[in-house]
Amino acid sequence: MIVLTSANHVPVYAQDLPDTGTDGADPAAKTAAPDTGGEPSRMDQLFAELAQPEGEGWRIAESDILREWSRSGSAAMDLLYKRGEDALDGGDAATAIGHLTALADHAPDFASGYHMRAVAYATEGDYGPALADLARALQLEPRHFPALTQLGFLLEDMDQPERALDAYRQSLAIHPHQQDVLDAVERLEQAETGTNI
């Protein structure tokens, strides 16, 4: 068993982290929605548009996906999510964690709630809980590219550049237009080959 140590020395067990494609398989294949044998769902169509290398339709698809992910299906849970998001935007990560923990307790299948709480935990330097929340978000929604990107940021901060690069690449396989992730991949690839930026 491989044990990782976060920046605040919290042990993080490798099997608790999502698979980031280190086995050489195509990350896009791992994140594709299962074949239902019928018409593609609205989300499947949006992800197909998001992955298009040309045109600007991906921007609308990105917005629609993020909007859909911000809805839990319950007005009360959406309010907790919004309060957590607002607290985080206001620089109050501790309050955000409180709201988002209540959300996770009452809506345990809401992936974006776990992602948002992971961001709040990471802001506080609590990488162990942040990694656990990212693993849960990705278990619930393997195509959650913001969670994959956040995972990459955390792994990079934890001085695990190879794993960070895998997470970034998996995120880009889903959403290839993320400039901050493209920049991170370029930076890590150059560091890997010893090339100065």
Side-chain angles (χ1 to χ4, degrees):
M1 173 187 326
I2 299 172
V3 179
L4 310 171
T5 304
S6 66
N8 58 359
H9 305 293
V10 174
V12 178
Y13 298 95
Q15 75 271 12
D16 295 333
L17 293 174
D19 180 3
T20 58
T22 55
D23 62 1
D26 179 12
K30 290 182 180 185
T31 60
D35 182 14
T36 59
E39 290 293 314
S41 72
R42 168 86 171 121
M43 288 297 279
D44 290 341
Q45 292 171 352
L46 290 171
F47 277 106
E49 291 172 28
L50 184 67
Q52 291 302 311
E54 298 174 4
E56 295 297 313
W58 68 267
R59 292 182 192 276
I60 296 168
E62 176 189 53
S63 178
D64 289 351
I65 289 167
L66 294 174
R67 185 175 25 263
E68 185 64 30
W69 279 346
S70 71
R71 298 179 183 146
S72 69
S74 161
M77 297 305 103
D78 290 351
L79 180 60
L80 283 173
Y81 181 81
K82 179 75 170 115
R83 286 181 177 170
E85 184 177 43
D86 289 346
L88 191 56
D89 288 345
D92 189 355
T95 298
I97 291 167
H99 290 304
L100 297 165
T101 297
L103 174 61
D105 290 345
H106 296 288
D109 294 330
F110 184 42
S112 289
Y114 288 100
H115 168 251
M116 185 70 63
R117 188 171 69 172
V119 172
Y121 277 133
T123 300
E124 292 285 284
D126 293 333
Y127 286 10
L131 290 167
D133 276 358
L134 291 173
R136 179 65 178 145
L138 291 166
Q139 178 184 29
L140 292 167
E141 175 49 83
R143 298 179 292 186
H144 204 291
F145 56 88
L148 286 164
T149 298
Q150 183 66 39
L151 177 62
F153 291 149
L154 289 179
L155 291 170
E156 190 174 357
D157 199 43
M158 293 167 56
D159 198 27
Q160 297 182 32
E162 298 86 11
R163 295 193 74 204
L165 192 54
D166 286 339
Y168 290 144
R169 286 177 176 152
Q170 189 168 352
S171 183
L172 286 172
I174 299 163
H175 183 353
H177 307 284
Q178 301 171 87
Q179 190 59 53
D180 57 339
V181 182
L182 291 166
D183 293 343
V185 167
E186 181 179 359
R187 180 182 65 251
L188 289 176
E189 286 175 343
Q190 288 178 345
E192 191 174 68
T193 62
T195 307
N196 289 332
I197 297 178

